[in-house]
């Protein structure tokens, strides 16, 4: 039985500045702090991954997103990414925490029981994961690639006195999860 299960994702795709692609808010208006059209499509795919009950990703008991605010999150994209799933599950999005608060948020997350889904900005995902598993270390939690929108990190443990387990997945072009076998259940360094 897993007591703490934390799923970390990056927000869906942002607009490509080099292609002068606009961001689009949830009402269809242009907004540079919002997801691209492709990003909105990814949000639906993500919701389907959880709702399909694929046996891999458990339904979250709670959903967190990096807040968009001065000194913190750079965009509305984390909230927008989990919005479709939040609506399907009737589970509110907790935006108490923002980018640059990873240490404090990780300390709070690791004490929660059940499943927490966290959508964050790539700049803070590795720091957040490291804060969750402290004092343990995993070699694969060193960084989140800046061009990666389809990775999922899953951290879990059965009780606070046992080590964390780590799994990394990629979402394929067909909307399926592919496990990184070399990173499955890796023991801490």
């Amino acid at each position: 039985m897993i007591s703490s299960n934390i799923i970390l994702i990056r927000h869906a795709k942002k607009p490509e500045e080099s292609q002068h692609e606009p961001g689009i808010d949830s009402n269809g208006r242009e907004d540079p702090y919002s997801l691209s059209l492709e990003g909105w499509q990814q949000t639906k795919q993500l919701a389907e991954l959880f709702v399909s009950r694929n046996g891999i990703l458990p339904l979250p008991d709670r959903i967190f997103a990096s807040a968009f605010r001065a000194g913190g999150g750079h965009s509305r994209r984390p909230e927008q990414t989990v919005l479709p799933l939040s609506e399907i599950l009737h589970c509110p999005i907790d935006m108490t925490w923002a980018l640059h608060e990873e240490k404090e948020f990780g300390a709070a997350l690791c004490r929660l029981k059940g499943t927490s889904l966290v959508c964050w900005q790539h700049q803070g995902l590795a720091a957040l994961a490291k804060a969750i598993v402290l004092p343990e270390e995993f070699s694969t939690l060193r960084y989140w690639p800046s061009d990666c929108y389809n990775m999922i990190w899953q951290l879990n443990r059965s009780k606070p006195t046992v080590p964390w387990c780590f799994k990394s997945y990629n979402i394929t072009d067909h909307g399926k999860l592919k496990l990184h076998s070399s990173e499955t259940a890796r023991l801490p360094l």
Side-chain angles (χ1 to χ4, degrees):
M1 177 176 187
I2 292 177
S3 120
S4 295
N5 193 18
I6 301 168
I7 301 167
L8 302 175
I9 62 172
R10 181 189 181 177
H11 62 73
K13 196 158 190 215
K14 64 182 181 179
E16 297 231 9
E17 291 179 24
S18 63
Q19 296 181 5
H20 306 290
E21 180 182 18
I24 301 168
D25 71 12
S26 60
N27 296 312
R29 293 186 298 256
E30 286 191 18
D31 174 18
Y33 304 106
S34 290
L35 296 170
S36 66
L37 182 57
E38 183 180 351
W40 282 105
Q41 292 165 346
Q42 289 173 330
T43 68
K44 293 175 186 168
Q45 184 183 51
L46 180 70
E48 288 171 14
L49 273 174
F50 282 94
V51 176
S52 71
R53 304 300 296 146
N54 59 27
I56 299 173
L57 296 176
L59 286 175
D61 298 307
R62 64 197 69 78
I63 300 172
F64 295 94
S66 173
F68 177 48
R69 61 176 176 238
H74 303 134
S75 73
R76 295 180 181 87
R77 294 184 276 275
E79 177 188 7
Q80 292 169 337
T81 299
V82 292
L83 183 61
L85 181 62
S86 168
E87 290 172 345
I88 290 168
L89 299 178
H90 304 286
C91 182
I93 301 169
D94 184 330
M95 293 190 302
T96 303
W97 306 92
L99 188 64
H100 309 301
E101 296 176 331
E102 290 79 14
K103 186 175 179 182
E104 298 84 0
F105 183 34
L109 265 176
C110 75
R111 293 190 301 268
L112 296 176
K113 291 187 177 183
T115 300
S116 301
L117 172 63
V118 179
C119 186
W120 215 250
Q121 288 146 342
H122 79 277
Q123 300 94 330
L125 275 163
L128 179 57
K130 289 175 190 175
I132 293 166
V133 302
L134 276 175
E136 299 172 49
E137 292 184 27
F138 289 83
S139 62
T140 52
L141 299 180
R142 292 205 172 118
Y143 76 101
W144 190 287
S146 63
D147 61 347
C148 183
Y149 296 93
N150 67 340
M151 191 161 54
I152 295 174
W153 283 351
Q154 184 177 21
L155 300 161
N156 57 55
R157 64 181 176 184
S158 57
K159 56 186 176 181
T161 57
V162 301
W164 287 94
C165 293
F166 171 73
K167 294 181 184 175
S168 179
Y169 302 94
N170 268 356
I171 303 170
T172 68
D173 292 338
H174 304 292
K176 304 291 183 199
L177 286 180
K178 179 181 177 186
L179 182 65
H180 292 181
S181 60
S182 65
E183 298 175 2
T184 305
R186 179 169 284 175
L187 296 173
L189 291 173

